[in-house]
Amino acid sequence: VNDDRLETLLRETFRNHEGLADPDRARALVHISPPPTRRWAVVLATAAAVVVMVGVAAYAVGWDRARDQTLPGGTPAPSPTISDQEPPGPTDADYRAMAAAASAETLAKTPVPRGAVRLDGQPRGWPKDYGTSLGPSDGRLTRTAWWSVPMSTDELASFLTSHEPKGLRHSPGEDVINCGNSFGVCDTTYDPIRQSHPEAYGEPTLLVQFTAAGERTVMRADTFTFARPVRPPESYLTAPVTSVGVDRVVPGSQSFRNVRAPHVEITDPDLIDQLVKAVNGLYGHYAFMASCPFAGDPQLSLSLRFHTASGVIRVHGTRVCWDGLTLTRDGQRVGPDLDPDDIDKVVEAVLRKN
Amino acid sequence: VYRGGVLDSVEVAEIPTYAEIIETTAPGLLRLAVMLTGSREDGEDLLQATLVRMHRHSDRLEVMAAPTAYLRRAMLNEHISASRRRSRRVRATPLSSLLEAQPAADQDGGVEARDEVWRWLATLSPAQRSVLVLRYYEDLPDAEIAAVLGVPSSTVRSHAARGLAALRAHLADHPEVTP
């Protein structure tokens, strides 16, 4: 029995047992499932109430002090000197606005064949549940456009293959155009060639999908990007570091069998400097919600403890899917999670030299 | 609006509510759950466990570009984790699963082969079965399967190749079954 026959047999087997799944039962289960528990909402509301109360109290105390200081005969309080202050840095909102602008700009680069007509929205005939995710991306920053193209799908595939917008290129892979799904939709992805502001947002990727619609072809373009949180100054390592403790869980020789690597204490100043630079070079992490499958036990992880005269700064996190690294100072979290980027490779290199 | 090769406005995709997303995707998710678990009851349990988890992330699900892909991934995660938990304890077989109506036989005896394959699928590890389900039922490319399962594409290919080889050997051991 050849592979084709076996593959066909598997497809037939799955299809033949679809009847075990009753769609009405599925919809009923949706309503049986318990409602969401919103404990965090209660916690947030309580925290907000405490903050407001503390703020009001602080304001009242400050107002009383100010009034006392400006009473006749008293010495006026000194005014803050604006010239001594650092200029305000970027905010999360700034980064988000930059990402939104880049998303719109990327959509505008979509290669559109001559004679194509822009549509107001999703036309009839487009598969209802069809969707594709492209790595970490924020749906609120996705920009979408539709066209009706006077070409066959083969002609459009050829057009898209030969047209790469400025600043974008086809994703590397075996096929530029992918048509291997049961929805009858083909797609191609354009990746950014360079990152304009890697500290602020993920350079948008452009996904173009298309399917036949009579003698024409419907084409859809989507952009995918995300905005990073701003990393505050106090999250950078500035104090002299005397040693760095490295603890890791790394892949074992067997699949799904991870092992704890022995603890290593780095004391070489040059190697410490490499680790400090690596951590200081990390950007804020976009918290992409990913439900990732089991990837081993115990979970892959990395922990770096930077020992300084003023305390311990720890950078740690699990290393599965798109998890970020958490930075703490003496146990207190500082700033947003950090995008791990290639820090694993830096740590590997440092450990090899140690 | 498209004018002369330049876009001068863009549209933001309309965002469905969590309830709409779940209501729409539930039938497809249940089919996937049945393919992964091999039975109606276990499939329904898996769907419900996935939905319970998803309730906690309903706000984020609403703004995702591809909630279906996300839900699928969540279900795979739940399935493999639950399989590991179950493997540590003795498990009762629900009586109703033994009473499920079997598909009617067709002219060429294909149902017998498909039933045999269905039983054989139950002997696979959750990860290996997941690869076969995603590849031959969901029709996902290997790269996407690798992303969903969090393993390299080479692992997906080897799971699939080993699966086909094992199925070939299984059918060879059952000459009475006509593939």
Side-chain angles (χ1 to χ4, degrees), chain A residues 91-102:
Chain A
T91 64
D92 289 351
D94 294 335
Y95 282 1
R96 190 165 185 80
M98 291 166 72

Side-chain angles (χ1 to χ4, degrees), chain A residues 19 32 38 67 87 101 141 188 196 207 222 224-226 229 256 288:
Chain A
I32 292 171
R38 301 282 190 178
R67 187 181 59 178
L141 291 170
T188 188
S196 304
L207 173 69
D222 292 279
F224 297 91
T225 185
F226 60 88
F256 298 141
F288 175 62

Side-chain angles (χ1 to χ4, degrees), chain A residues 251-268:
Chain A
S253 55
Q254 289 180 307
S255 181
F256 298 141
R257 294 283 186 275
N258 302 324
V259 294
R260 292 185 190 283
H263 171 83
V264 177
E265 198 69 28
I266 307 283
T267 53
D268 182 305

Side-chain angles (χ1 to χ4, degrees), chain A residues 93-304:
Chain A
D94 294 335
Y95 282 1
R96 190 165 185 80
M98 291 166 72
S103 188
E105 188 180 332
T106 300
L107 184 71
K109 292 179 180 175
T110 304
V112 180
R114 188 180 298 276
V117 177
R118 179 77 186 269
L119 305 174
D120 290 336
Q122 178 173 328
R124 285 175 187 274
W126 189 265
K128 189 178 177 187
D129 297 332
Y130 190 70
T132 303
S133 61
L134 283 180
S137 54
D138 183 338
R140 290 166 294 188
L141 291 170
T142 289
R143 299 294 180 263
T144 303
W146 297 83
W147 290 268
S148 172
V149 181
M151 287 179 165
S152 68
T153 51
D154 285 347
E155 289 168 335
L156 181 55
S158 175
F159 174 85
L160 293 172
T161 301
S162 59
H163 286 75
E164 287 185 332
K166 187 180 179 185
L168 298 169
R169 65 182 166 206
H170 285 293
S171 297
E174 292 178 1
D175 300 313
V176 172
I177 306 290
N178 305 293
C179 298
N181 62 67
S182 56
F183 290 91
V185 176
C186 299
D187 64 68
T188 188
T189 308
Y190 298 95
D191 291 335
I193 292 173
R194 65 181 184 88
Q195 302 280 323
S196 304
H197 297 281
E199 77 288 359
Y201 60 88
E203 199 70 26
T205 53
L206 175 66
L207 173 69
V208 179
Q209 301 174 92
F210 55 96
T211 190
E215 294 181 350
R216 299 173 70 92
T217 296
V218 172
M219 184 175 93
R220 168 184 179 161
D222 292 279
T223 57
F224 297 91
T225 185
F226 60 88
R228 295 185 185 280
V230 171
R231 187 173 171 182
E234 59 270 25
S235 70
Y236 291 89
L237 299 166
T238 51
V241 175
T242 53
S243 69
V244 183
V246 181
D247 291 285
R248 298 183 303 156
V249 172
V250 297
S253 55
Q254 289 180 307
S255 181
F256 298 141
R257 294 283 186 275
N258 302 324
V259 294
R260 292 185 190 283
H263 171 83
V264 177
E265 198 69 28
I266 307 283
T267 53
D268 182 305
D270 289 340
L271 298 180
I272 290 174
D273 190 46
Q274 288 182 38
L275 292 174
V276 168
K277 282 180 178 167
V279 169
N280 283 342
L282 300 178
Y283 302 128
H285 178 61
Y286 168 63
F288 175 62
M289 265 307 301
S291 176
C292 296
F294 173 67
D297 194 14
Q299 285 204 313
L300 301 172
S301 65
L302 171 68
S303 169
L304 301 173

Side-chain angles (χ1 to χ4, degrees), chain B residues 88-166:
Chain B
R88 296 181 185 144
R89 61 176 188 262
V90 177
R91 183 157 169 267
T93 303
L95 181 63
S96 55
S97 69
L98 303 175
L99 303 176
E100 280 171 357
Q102 296 297 315
D106 57 13
Q107 295 294 319
D108 59 7
V111 165
E112 190 186 352
R114 282 172 264 177
D115 287 345
E116 187 56 41
V117 173
W118 188 249
R119 283 190 287 273
W120 169 79
L121 283 166
T123 66
L124 300 180
S125 69
Q128 195 168 23
R129 180 171 182 143
S130 299
V131 166
L132 296 181
V133 168
L134 294 175
R135 208 184 206 208
Y136 299 117
Y137 180 66
E138 294 282 297
D139 276 335
L140 294 186
D142 287 353
E144 203 166 330
I145 296 172
V148 168
L149 294 177
V151 298
S153 292
S154 56
T155 303
V156 172
R157 287 194 294 274
S158 67
H159 270 319
R162 281 204 292 268
L164 292 181

